[in-house]
Every structure is written in structure tokens, then in C-alpha cells.
């Protein structure tokens, strides 16, 4: 349910969000030992519409019009008003997940340094029922999980390995090895911490990519936590629009629209011929091979009540 945007406080003139004030500084758990903590924020839904209205005057300022304006801005990719809102988070995250995280170069970052400080004595551990199988059709993804019996063996091996590495690291420090060198064999499962500050426009871009079902599970859990437990409270109107257009919506290419038109007209034969022409699918007497673009197209069709012409 969308509530009206808060107004500036009388004491500071600053937009405050009661729902965010209630969780300020609280660690929201993610994974087995990670967290996301809201440190500070600036602006809200009101700041987005305020910035947008500078372009064409005061206009209307009712709640309904504010919501409509935000939806228009997001729908048509008018992004600068969303840059009027900033947020700063403190996160604890495994190093391998953090590597994916900092590929988004649109934030200010300050990370815990194991060159100056002793490494965090925590590493992400995998439950016996959570060892994922390699996706045979997607080299960078997973699909399904291993049997729990095998997973239990892997989890036991993981714990032994992490304990041995931690013991070796601690021994190096005890013997006086420099921290910058002692750290070199720490696993990527080791937790790190960082402060991460960025504007709402860049944050929504991060969430669009990292909440997607194709993103790695671990970073998807962080992104979902940030989106649903922080951003949804911070800018509820912008979040509603983001979910409608970016999370639950879909984009269609010119080619996809053409094939869908053939499908809806009932001409599946012509739709199949067009898909073959587009090299989405190859059909031989032995097998049918659907390429990545064809797979992505087919995944959109159930939302339209359709199926791929090669099915």
C-alpha cells in the first residue's frame, strides 16, 4: 500500500521518513553472517517530484499527481530527478559476492582493509541442501541442487578447509608476518565490510540487475533485502513504479513484437518460420536447438498467454 510522502520536519527542514528512522543503524541479516545496515539517507519521493517540477513550474502537487509524475519519469527514463535522493549503507558480504557488487562503479565505496586490520573471522558456509549444480545451458549460472547426502560431505569439507586456512592465517600473525602478506591465502568466502553510498537512480539500476532471477543467488539476496526492506520504505511511490516497470514488466524487441503478432493471429507456422529466419531456433530431424535469444523470448510468452512456435 502506498502512503503519502512525508514532509520536512519543523526542526531541521529536512525530509525524514519515519519508516527509515525506525530502522536506522539496525543490521538486517543476509546469508549466514552478513547484513545490510542503513547509515543515512537524503530525500524521498517528495524530492523526486520537487526536482522534476523545476523544469516546468509548480504544476499540481496532490498525492495522486505526485505518484503519476514519478511513474511517468521512470516509465520514460527521465533519470535525473531520482539522483536527488542519496543513501548510505553499511554492508557485510562475502568477498566473492562483493567482487560482483563493486562492478557497479556508480557509488562511493570505502571497504574494510585487511592490509591495515585483522581479517574478519567469519566465512560464508554452505548448508548441505544448498550446493547448486552448474547450469549446462548457462556457463555463469546454476540450476538445481546436489543431493543432500553429497552436500553434507561438501559442507564438512568446506568447514575443515576454512578452519585450516583461518588457523594458518592466525599463526602467521602470531609469528609477526605483515597483515598485507598474511592475508593472501584467505578464501573468497571470507566476509568483508564496506560503506556504500549512491543516489537512487544508480541504486535502482543495481537492483534491476541484481534482483533479476539470472543474478547469482547470494547477491540477489542482498539486492532483494535492500529493495524490499529499505528502498520500499524510503521511496514507496518510486518503488511501486520500479516494481511495475522494471521487475514485473518486460521489454520487447521489434522482432519479438512481429513474432507475437503472428502467434496472436493464429499463424504459428509463419511465426516458426520467422523464428528460424531470426536464428532463434534450428530444427533438424534429430533435434530442435533453441539459442539464447530464442530462450529469452520463449520465457516472456507465458505472461501473454502464449507459447513458443517451436513447442
Amino acid at each position: 500500500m502506498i502512503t503519502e510522502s512525508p514532509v520536512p520536519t519543523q526542526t531541521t527542514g529536512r525530509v525524514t521518513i519515519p519508516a527509515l528512522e525506525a530502522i536506522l543503524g539496525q543490521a538486517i541479516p543476509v546469508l549466514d553472517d552478513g547484513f545490510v545496515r542503513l547509515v543515512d539517507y537524503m530525500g524521498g519521493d517528495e524530492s523526486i517530484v520537487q526536482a522534476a517540477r523545476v523544469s516546468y513550474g509548480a504544476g499540481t502537487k496532490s498525492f495522486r499527481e505526485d505518484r503519476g509524475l514519478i511513474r511517468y519519469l521512470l516509465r520514460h527514463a527521465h533519470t535525473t530527478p531520482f539522483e536527488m535522493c542519496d543513501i548510505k549503507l553499511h554492508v557485510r558480504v562475502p568477498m566473492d559476492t562483493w567482487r560482483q557488487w563493486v562492478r557497479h562503479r556508480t557509488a562511493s565505496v570505502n571497504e574494510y582493509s585487511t592490509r591495515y586490520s585483522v581479517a574478519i573471522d567469519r566465512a560464508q558456509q554452505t548448508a548441505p541442501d544448498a550446493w547448486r549444480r552448474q547450469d549446462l545451458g548457462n556457463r555463469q549460472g546454476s540450476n538445481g541442487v546436489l543431493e543432500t547426502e553429497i552436500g553434507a560431505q561438501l559442507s564438512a569439507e568446506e568447514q575443515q578447509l576454512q578452519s585450516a586456512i583461518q588457523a594458518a592465517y592466525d599463526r602467521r600473525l602470531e609469528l609477526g608476518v605483515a597483515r598485507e602478506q598474511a592475508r593472501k591465502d584467505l578464501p573468497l568466502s571470507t566476509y568483508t565490510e564496506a560503506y556504500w553510498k549512491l543516489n537512487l537512480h544508480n541504486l535502482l539500476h543495481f537492483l534491476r540487475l541484481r534482483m533479476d532471477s539470472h543474478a547469482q543467488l547470494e547477491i540477489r539476496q542482498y539486492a532483494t533485502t535492500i529493495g524490499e526492506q529499505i528502498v520500499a520504505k524510503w521511496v514507496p511511490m518510486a518503488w511501486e513504479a520500479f516494481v511495475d516497470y522494471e521487475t514485473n514488466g518486460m521489454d520487447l524487441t521489434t522482432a519479438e513484437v512481429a513474432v507475437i503478432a503472428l502467434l496472436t493471429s493464429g499463424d504459428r507456422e509463419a511465426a516458426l518460420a520467422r523464428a528460424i529466419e531470426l536464428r532463434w531456433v534450428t530444427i533438424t530431424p534429430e533435434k530442435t536447438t533453441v539459442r539464447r535469444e530464442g530462450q529469452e523470448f520463449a520465457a516472456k510468452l507465458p505472461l501473454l498467454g502464449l507459447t513458443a512456435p517451436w513447442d
Side-chain angles (χ1 to χ4, degrees):
M1 179 178 178
I2 305 301
T3 57
E4 293 196 33
S5 298
V7 297
T9 60
Q10 296 298 317
T11 55
T12 66
R14 177 179 182 271
V15 172
T16 58
I17 315 296
L20 285 194
E21 295 293 323
I23 63 171
L24 201 64
Q26 296 180 10
I28 304 172
V30 188
L31 302 182
D32 58 344
D33 200 60
F35 62 72
V36 174
R37 176 184 286 125
L38 174 64
V39 177
D40 201 2
Y41 67 95
M42 183 185 77
D45 281 329
E46 175 185 289
S47 307
I48 300 169
V49 297
Q50 179 189 57
R53 288 192 171 108
V54 167
S55 300
Y56 60 88
T60 55
K61 297 185 179 180
S62 69
F63 169 72
R64 179 180 299 176
E65 293 301 321
D66 283 355
R67 177 177 177 272
L69 176 56
I70 287 176
R71 294 177 69 83
Y72 174 86
L73 294 171
L74 196 63
R75 192 165 64 246
H76 293 279
H78 297 302
T79 59
T80 50
F82 297 90
E83 296 175 10
M84 299 299 109
C85 301
D86 288 290
I87 196 165
K88 181 164 68 173
L89 303 174
H90 174 205
V91 300
R92 174 181 281 207
V93 55
M95 289 182 177
D96 59 343
T97 304
W98 182 239
R99 281 187 172 184
Q100 300 177 57
W101 199 315
V102 293
R103 285 177 58 82
H104 298 265
R105 295 167 293 178
T106 52
S108 298
V109 177
N110 198 40
E111 184 183 356
Y112 183 93
S113 173
T114 53
R115 186 180 184 192
Y116 302 109
S117 304
V118 175
I120 297 170
D121 185 14
R122 292 291 185 276
Q124 183 199 1
Q125 296 185 341
T126 309
D129 61 352
W131 290 96
R132 304 192 294 276
R133 293 183 179 275
Q134 176 63 45
D135 190 328
L136 299 179
N138 180 1
R139 286 177 291 182
Q140 65 177 6
S142 58
N143 187 8
V145 295
L146 295 172
E147 293 76 9
T148 303
E149 294 76 11
I150 297 175
Q153 298 173 18
L154 295 176
S155 294
E157 292 172 359
E158 175 187 62
Q159 188 172 13
Q160 294 171 4
L161 178 62
Q162 290 176 348
S163 296
I165 294 176
Q166 184 65 44
Y169 173 74
D170 291 341
R171 176 166 170 74
R172 292 171 186 176
L173 295 181
E174 291 170 2
L175 293 175
V177 176
R179 291 170 182 167
E180 65 180 15
Q181 186 179 30
R183 64 182 177 168
K184 71 184 187 69
D185 296 312
L186 290 172
L188 288 176
S189 56
T190 305
Y191 276 96
T192 186
E193 294 186 13
Y195 285 94
W196 192 59
K197 185 180 79 69
L198 73 173
N199 64 48
L200 178 60
H201 164 55
N202 290 320
L203 176 56
L204 292 179
H205 178 68
F206 170 85
L207 296 178
R208 180 175 64 83
L209 295 177
R210 298 306 183 176
M211 288 177 63
D212 187 89
S213 60
H214 296 93
Q216 184 174 324
L217 176 62
E218 287 79 9
I219 198 167
R220 195 161 75 236
Q221 289 179 289
Y222 278 95
T224 300
T225 298
I226 292 169
E228 294 182 352
Q229 299 195 44
I230 296 178
V231 179
K233 297 176 181 178
W234 177 29
V235 283
M237 287 189 285
W239 177 253
E240 179 201 34
F242 172 77
V243 171
D244 283 351
Y245 301 137
E246 301 291 347
T247 303
N248 295 336
M250 72 169 74
D251 294 322
L252 295 173
T253 66
T254 302
E256 289 174 334
V257 170
V259 176
I260 288 173
L262 291 171
L263 287 173
T264 54
S265 71
D267 195 346
R268 293 183 65 85
E269 184 175 337
L272 178 59
R274 181 59 178 147
I276 293 173
E277 182 183 351
L278 291 165
R279 299 182 61 80
W280 290 354
V281 61
T282 301
I283 300 177
T284 65
E286 291 76 24
K287 65 177 181 178
T288 297
T289 302
V290 184
R291 295 182 176 83
R292 178 70 64 84
E293 190 170 1
Q295 294 172 6
E296 293 175 357
F297 170 70
K300 300 175 182 179
L301 295 179
L303 294 174
L304 303 173
L306 301 171
T307 58
W310 52 83
D311 287 343

